[in-house]
Amino acid sequence: MAKRAPNPLRRSARSQAAILQAAYELCQQEGYARLTIEGIAARAGVGKQTIYRWWPSKGAVLLDVFVDQITARLDAAPIGSPLDDLRRRVHVTAEVLADTTIGPHIAGLVGDAQGDPLLARELHQRLVAPARAQHRELICAAQAQGELRADVDPDLVADTLFAPLWFRLLVTKAELSPSFVDDIIDTVMTTWTESQTNGQHR
């Protein structure tokens, strides 16, 4: 019986999985800043050019490593009203960013994206834009149900809720505790759940 030729698609899938696993392991052991394509290739048992065939940079590799983990945690089933689900997403975002197996490496990836337009575009398209669209959908639904004031820009609500989390991750490195998240939510919601007659901008 003649031998079958190796399936290149299966071989590629195995190689890609090995590369992603190697990148994750090295990132946990050495940190994002010390991660290199050469190191990933050595750990995965592939040539450097094999990695560059699918990813243009280490940031692109790490984006593939983490994007599914992050979206899976964010995209849990609805738990209640739009406002309840929005609160949950703020808390889950903080938990993800505070997770030492994810947060510091995402911070490094964001840093690299400032000088890498291709990585910045991928980061926006695959992580930032989908998350922001879901946040906006919940905010608009909460406004439609009277849970939030209808005269407030949904993008402003999203920025005010989520920007402090990223500021702590990227700038101050302060703790992203549940109590901090509750304080942000309570401050924002106290302002924007006021009635439109009594709660206009001062």
Side-chain angles (χ1 to χ4, degrees):
M1 187 165 115
K3 284 187 178 181
R4 289 184 180 177
N7 185 332
L9 294 178
R10 184 175 299 171
R11 185 168 61 248
S12 294
R14 283 200 301 267
S15 296
Q16 289 188 38
I19 290 164
L20 293 175
Q21 182 64 31
Y24 177 79
E25 292 172 356
L26 287 171
C27 210
Q28 303 307 321
Q29 293 170 9
E30 302 179 359
Y32 181 88
R34 297 181 63 186
L35 188 69
T36 64
I37 292 292
E38 291 79 5
I40 297 171
R43 172 67 69 96
V46 301
K48 187 169 63 172
Q49 290 308 313
T50 299
I51 297 178
Y52 282 121
R53 187 184 310 150
W54 295 310
W55 296 279
S57 65
K58 72 173 187 180
V61 178
L62 264 294
L63 186 59
D64 271 359
V65 168
F66 289 116
V67 72
D68 288 340
Q69 294 184 36
I70 294 171
T71 53
R73 290 171 67 168
L74 285 174
D75 295 344
I79 61 173
S81 71
L83 201 55
D84 289 334
D85 289 334
L86 182 62
R87 288 175 180 271
R88 181 194 66 81
R89 286 184 70 89
V90 181
H91 270 283
V92 173
T93 300
E95 290 168 5
V96 169
L97 298 183
D99 187 336
T100 57
T101 69
I102 297 177
H105 313 309
I106 292 298
L109 195 156
V110 170
D112 273 3
Q114 305 313 300
D116 184 339
L118 180 60
L119 179 60
R121 184 167 65 250
E122 286 291 308
L123 179 63
H124 183 267
Q125 290 177 348
R126 298 183 59 195
L127 189 61
V128 176
R132 192 168 182 84
Q134 291 178 337
H135 300 156
R136 199 176 196 283
E137 181 179 346
L138 288 172
I139 292 165
C140 290
Q143 289 176 313
Q145 294 185 18
E147 294 182 307
L148 287 174
R149 280 172 37 199
D151 64 325
V152 179
D153 180 356
D155 289 326
L156 179 59
V157 178
D159 286 346
T160 309
L161 285 170
F162 291 93
L165 311 182
W166 288 96
F167 186 76
R168 285 203 168 191
L169 174 72
L170 299 172
V171 180
T172 69
K173 310 300 183 183
E175 183 184 7
L176 283 164
S177 64
S179 61
F180 171 70
V181 177
D182 284 333
D183 287 344
I184 293 171
I185 295 171
D186 289 344
T187 299
V188 173
M189 298 311 174
T190 297
T191 301
W192 289 332
T193 56
E194 295 175 350
S195 68
Q196 292 193 33
T197 55
N198 296 322
Q200 298 295 330
H201 296 298
R202 297 176 182 79

